[in-house]
């Protein structure tokens, strides 16, 4: 029996559930299909559980900082088993609450895998304005609607010779399920995922080695941010290896063995493979050829579903969040899902505009950025300048005994284009930084802003008012 809806959403992560909520509140009969758990990777095995881990080790980091000045003494120990139980209770409860909220709004949630009809994501022959979706799983069904939103997210990437085996070589989801803290850990990948797990386990006493094939940690950031991060991490006892390509990573004799292309090897009790993420497009009949298939969809070179300026992937089909490969962040998925829902309701007409996307890496040492890097400004041909302020000059950073790092402003053709920071607590600066970048201010107009004293926010002002240094394309 075919069930008819005004909209069908495949994927119950931040993008899909936000779209479902707005559409239901707008009076549209909405179906949401999710094959694993509501809340997606973010809630269940990503953003949220990792923050529970990092929050538990934060007091120990503060203690160590103050101990260097002789102002505090003692020790903090983490009950890992209790932490795991608390994390699981919160995640499970939040997912259940999300389901109840959607149900209260009238959203019909199907447990299973949503796939296009045999004829693909196109009009059904007998009903030209309807797109058919098959649900395979606990709630098999055939659904039809004039519009479908693909919000299927992404999964941990792997490559030949670099794949989790569930023994000593793990992906991030597997690592979150450990029942004991390893004595040593290899982290392959120096991006956000690798950095956050490295931070937690280092605080738990694990000997951590980060391996990044690119020349720097945090490859998407400017080199000065990455270098400062490296200095802080190495001073904290982590080993950082950059610019070395990994040839293989396997479990041998119960331990993780990493082999570099130069033949050298490293061995640890466990290894985390954190080399990026890939869009969940299995079953959609897409290929990386760049040509549309029977489903009407095609992939870009990185594996994301190609969308137009309004996030259309095919007639009547939208793609939001990680699956379109634009920005693999939960808040980006949420933002895109909300835009598409408003567009379907007739409340949005223009193309999708994200504005300066904020991003953070959390832990004892954090990264924050909103807007462009200096590298991006130079690549675009703009006149680039930067201004910086050390956290050492900020009284709040000093009070917390964590003053390593700096805040940085990036200027393009005389206007603010981006802000970034590295150091303790700098994730708290990201929203203010985003609003400042969104304004695209010139230096003289920033004089109207009043920053509360004493706050870490004053480091933003210090960076904005610091002398600017021009940058050349080869710097």
């Amino acid at each position: 029996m075919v069930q008819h809806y005004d909209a069908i959403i495949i994927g119950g992560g931040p993008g899909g559930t936000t779209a479902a909520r707005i559409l239901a509140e707008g009076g549209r009969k909405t179906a949401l299909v999710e094959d694993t758990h509501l809340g997606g990777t973010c809630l269940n095995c990503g953003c949220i559980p990792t923050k529970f881990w990092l929050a538990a080790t934060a007091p120990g980091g503060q203690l160590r900082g103050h101990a260097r000045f002789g102002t505090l003494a003692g020790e903090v120990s983490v009950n890992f088993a209790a932490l795991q139980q608390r994390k699981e209770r919160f995640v499970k409860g939040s997912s259940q609450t999300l389901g109840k909220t959607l149900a209260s709004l009238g959203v019909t949630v199907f447990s299973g895998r949503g796939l296009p009809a045999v004829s693909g994501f196109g009009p059904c022959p007998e009903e030209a304005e309807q797109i058919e979706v098959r649900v395979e799983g606990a709630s098999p069904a055939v659904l039809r609607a004039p519009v479908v939103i693909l919000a299927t997210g992404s999964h941990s990437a792997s490559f030949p010779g670099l794949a989790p085996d569930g023994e000593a070589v793990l992906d991030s989801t597997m690592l979150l399920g450990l029942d004991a803290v390893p004595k040593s850990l290899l982290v392959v990948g120096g991006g956000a995922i690798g950095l956050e797990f490295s931070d937690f386990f280092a605080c738990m006493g694990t000997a951590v080695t980060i391996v990044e094939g690119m020349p720097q940690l945090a490859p998407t950031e400017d080199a000065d941010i990455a270098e400062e991060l490296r200095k802080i991490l190495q001073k904290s006892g982590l080993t950082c290896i950059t610019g070395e390509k990994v040839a293989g990573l396997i479990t041998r004799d119960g331990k993780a063995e990493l082999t570099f292309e130069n033949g050298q090897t490293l061995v640890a009790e466990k290894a985390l493979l954190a080399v990026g993420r890939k869009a969940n497009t299995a079953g959609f009949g897409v290929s990386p050829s760049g040509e549309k298939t029977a489903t009407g969809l095609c992939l870009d070179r990185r594996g994301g579903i190609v969308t137009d300026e309004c996030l259309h992937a095919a007639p009547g089909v939208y793609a939001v969040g990680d699956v379109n490969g634009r920005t693999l962040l939960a808040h980006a998925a949420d933002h895109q899902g909300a835009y598409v829902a408003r567009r379907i309701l007739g409340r949005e007409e223009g193309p999708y505009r994200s504005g300066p996307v904020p991003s953070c890496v959390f832990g004892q040492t954090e990264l924050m950025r909103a807007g462009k890097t200096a590298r991006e400004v130079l690549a675009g041909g703009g006149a680039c300048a930067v201004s910086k302020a050390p956290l050492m000059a900020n009284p709040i950073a000093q009070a917390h005994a964590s003053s390593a790092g700096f805040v940085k402003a990036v200027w393009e053709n005389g206007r603010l284009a981006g802000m970034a920071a590295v150091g303790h607590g700098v994730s708290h600066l990201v929203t203010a930084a985003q609003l400042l970048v969104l304004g695209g201010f010139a230096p003289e107009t920033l004089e109207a802003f009043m920053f509360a004293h004493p706050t870490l926010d004053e480091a933003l002002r210090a960076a904005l008012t610091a002398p600017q240094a021009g940058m050349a394309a080869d710097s």
Side-chain angles (χ1 to χ4, degrees), residues 36 80 116 184 217 266 318 376 380 436:
T36 309
F80 187 65
S184 55
L217 298 177
L266 296 174
Y318 293 91
E376 288 170 337
L436 288 165

Side-chain angles (χ1 to χ4, degrees), residues 323-379:
V323 76
N324 68 29
R326 291 186 174 214
T327 305
L328 276 64
L329 293 170
H331 47 276
D334 175 277
H335 197 263
Q336 292 174 19
Y339 161 83
V340 166
R342 293 194 304 270
R343 186 174 180 84
I344 292 170
L345 291 171
R347 301 173 185 169
E348 192 89 45
E349 293 184 356
Y352 174 70
R353 295 285 184 264
S354 69
V357 179
S359 63
C360 297
V361 175
F362 297 88
Q364 301 297 310
T365 301
E366 299 186 334
L367 300 180
M368 172 282 291
R369 178 159 62 88
K372 296 180 180 180
T373 62
R375 184 169 56 204
E376 288 170 337
V377 172
L378 291 169

Side-chain angles (χ1 to χ4, degrees), residues 214-231 242 367 369 373-376 378 386 388 406 408 410 420 422 471 474-475:
M214 299 294 286
Q216 65 179 53
L217 298 177
T220 59
E221 305 303 321
D222 280 330
D224 55 350
I225 292 281
E227 182 57 27
E228 182 72 8
L229 173 66
R230 180 188 185 114
K231 290 178 182 177
T242 56
L367 300 180
R369 178 159 62 88
T373 62
R375 184 169 56 204
E376 288 170 337
L378 291 169
V386 300
K388 298 181 184 180
F406 61 85
K408 171 182 178 178
V410 177
V422 53
M471 298 188 67
D474 56 352
S475 59

Side-chain angles (χ1 to χ4, degrees), residues 206-271:
T206 302
V208 176
T209 299
I210 306 175
V211 178
E212 169 58 54
M214 299 294 286
Q216 65 179 53
L217 298 177
T220 59
E221 305 303 321
D222 280 330
D224 55 350
I225 292 281
E227 182 57 27
E228 182 72 8
L229 173 66
R230 180 188 185 114
K231 290 178 182 177
I232 297 172
L233 293 181
Q234 291 185 158
K235 190 174 181 180
S236 300
L238 285 79
T239 300
C240 303
I241 301 173
T242 56
E244 296 288 346
K245 301 296 184 181
V246 176
L249 181 62
I250 61 172
T251 297
R252 189 188 301 277
D253 298 328
K255 293 188 176 183
E257 181 180 279
L258 180 149
T259 304
F260 291 105
E261 288 186 348
N262 62 15
Q264 293 182 330
T265 61
L266 296 174
V267 177
E269 188 174 326
K270 298 289 183 183

Side-chain angles (χ1 to χ4, degrees), residues 47-287:
C47 313
I48 303 307
T50 54
K51 302 315 165 287
F52 266 69
W53 275 16
L54 292 170
T57 55
Q62 293 177 349
L63 173 60
R64 287 188 292 275
H66 282 281
R68 291 195 299 270
F69 295 94
T71 53
L72 285 177
E75 64 179 48
V76 176
S77 61
V78 177
N79 185 329
F80 187 65
L83 175 60
Q84 287 290 69
Q85 290 175 1
R86 180 169 180 262
K87 176 201 72 176
E88 291 301 322
R89 284 197 302 269
F90 181 84
V91 167
K92 183 178 180 180
S94 297
S95 183
Q96 291 174 342
T97 298
L98 179 57
K100 291 176 182 177
T101 299
L102 292 173
S104 71
L105 293 171
V107 177
T108 303
V109 178
F110 290 86
S111 178
R113 188 178 179 201
L115 297 170
V118 175
S119 59
F121 284 118
C124 301
E126 64 274 24
E127 296 184 56
E129 298 304 318
Q130 297 289 316
I131 299 171
E132 187 170 283
V133 173
R134 291 179 290 112
V135 179
E136 296 181 348
S139 305
V142 177
L143 316 177
R144 285 183 187 166
V147 63
V148 171
I149 302 174
L150 305 179
T152 49
S154 63
H155 61 277
S156 296
S158 61
F159 304 95
L162 285 175
D165 56 24
E167 298 180 59
V169 181
L170 311 174
D171 63 19
S172 57
T173 301
M174 297 169 183
L175 198 63
L176 278 167
L178 289 179
D179 55 12
V181 176
K183 294 181 180 179
S184 55
L185 177 69
L186 293 172
V187 176
V188 182
I193 295 172
L195 290 170
E196 291 189 0
F197 278 105
S198 296
D199 184 287
F200 172 76
F201 282 105
C203 289
M204 293 294 290
T206 302
V208 176
T209 299
I210 306 175
V211 178
E212 169 58 54
M214 299 294 286
Q216 65 179 53
L217 298 177
T220 59
E221 305 303 321
D222 280 330
D224 55 350
I225 292 281
E227 182 57 27
E228 182 72 8
L229 173 66
R230 180 188 185 114
K231 290 178 182 177
I232 297 172
L233 293 181
Q234 291 185 158
K235 190 174 181 180
S236 300
L238 285 79
T239 300
C240 303
I241 301 173
T242 56
E244 296 288 346
K245 301 296 184 181
V246 176
L249 181 62
I250 61 172
T251 297
R252 189 188 301 277
D253 298 328
K255 293 188 176 183
E257 181 180 279
L258 180 149
T259 304
F260 291 105
E261 288 186 348
N262 62 15
Q264 293 182 330
T265 61
L266 296 174
V267 177
E269 188 174 326
K270 298 289 183 183
L272 166 65
L273 190 64
V275 291
R277 297 184 66 82
K278 290 186 176 181
N280 290 328
T281 59
F284 290 168
V286 292
S287 69

